[in-house]
Each structure stands twice: as C-alpha cells, then as structure tokens.
Amino acid sequence: MAVYREQHQFETQGHGHLRDLTSAVSDIVERSGITIGTAHIFNVGSTGAVVTIEYEQGLAQDLPNNLDRLLPPDTNYAHEQAWHDGNGHSHLQATVLGPEVTVPVSEGRPLLGTWQQLAHLECDTKARRRTVVVTVMGE
C-alpha cells in the first residue's frame, strides 16, 4: 500500500467563511498516483472544520447561520472566562462538525456525489491562515 501526504494552505475570511476544497484535494489525489484507496482530509487547529456539503451560496450561508443558532457567539462559555478571547463558540462549532473527512478514491479521484463537495468552514472569530493535511492511501 502506498501513502502520500501533502498540505494545502489558504486564507479564510473569518467566522462563517466556507471554502471549497474539492479541486485542491482532487489535485493532491492526482499527484499521489494512487488510483484506488482513501483520501483523509484533516484541518490542523481547533476552530476549523472539514465537511462534505453541496457547495452553493444558500448552504454557504445556512451552515454557519444554523451553527450560530445551535451554539451562539454571544453565550457566556466557560472558555471565555478562562481565556477572554471571545471564541468559545468557535471551538464548540468546530468540534460538532469535526476536523476531518475520509472519502474513497476511485480511478485516481475522490469519489463524491454529483452535488457533494469537500469544504472547510472557518469557525473562529477572525480571518486565519489554515493548513489542511491530505493523506492518500491505497494502490
């Protein structure tokens, strides 16, 4: 079994910014030379999440808006009392969604549905430079 790993770095625009990772991950999978296996996509950091979603404007608004309803930014979290950095909700939102996704690789490409893309959601309160690690395993 072959293993290939590459990092993808990008800038976010702050809380609620959804970025399409599909092309970047597809390019990494192609460079790996692996035609069948899995691709693991992992966000480095505790306030960003990796998801699959239909990447379109409506859902790009709906996802962060509904997370803000579930875990509102203006709640008095214990994290705020300890660190006073205003991002307790950011950590919790990222935890609910998770830092990683694993997708099958078939014919040298991530195997995704027609309306399914890979995306990163910035949960932190400010713009960040993010690193996503893509590990491709297979033959």
Side-chain angles (χ1 to χ4, degrees):
M1 177 188 321
V3 178
Y4 178 86
R5 179 172 292 145
E6 190 175 318
Q7 295 183 3
H8 174 63
Q9 295 186 331
F10 54 93
E11 304 288 332
T12 72
Q13 297 170 6
H15 185 71
H17 179 228
L18 189 69
R19 180 185 185 93
D20 189 351
L21 297 176
T22 310
S23 292
V25 171
S26 295
D27 291 347
I28 292 169
V29 170
E30 184 178 334
R31 283 192 294 274
S32 77
I34 293 171
T35 58
I36 187 166
T38 58
H40 179 258
I41 302 94
F42 178 80
N43 173 75
V44 178
S46 62
T47 56
V50 175
V51 299
T52 62
I53 192 167
E54 180 181 350
Y55 187 81
E56 56 87 18
Q57 281 304 104
L59 290 172
Q61 293 174 18
D62 291 340
L63 180 59
N65 289 346
N66 281 288
L67 279 172
D68 281 350
R69 283 191 208 108
L70 180 65
L71 296 159
D74 57 358
T75 297
N76 187 19
Y77 297 101
H79 177 80
E80 314 287 327
Q81 296 168 12
W83 295 99
H84 309 288
D85 57 3
N87 74 349
H89 69 288
S90 305
H91 290 278
L92 296 172
Q93 289 180 4
T95 298
V96 166
L97 292 177
E100 62 189 332
V101 170
T102 301
V103 297
V105 170
S106 179
E107 298 178 1
R109 296 186 315 265
L111 185 57
L112 298 166
T114 302
W115 306 113
Q116 183 180 37
Q117 288 81 42
L118 297 160
H120 176 274
L121 180 67
E122 181 59 67
C123 299
D124 211 345
T125 57
K126 58 187 172 192
R128 300 288 228 163
R129 178 151 183 82
R130 290 295 184 185
T131 300
V132 171
V133 178
V134 180
T135 306
V136 188
M137 297 173 281
E139 305 174 350

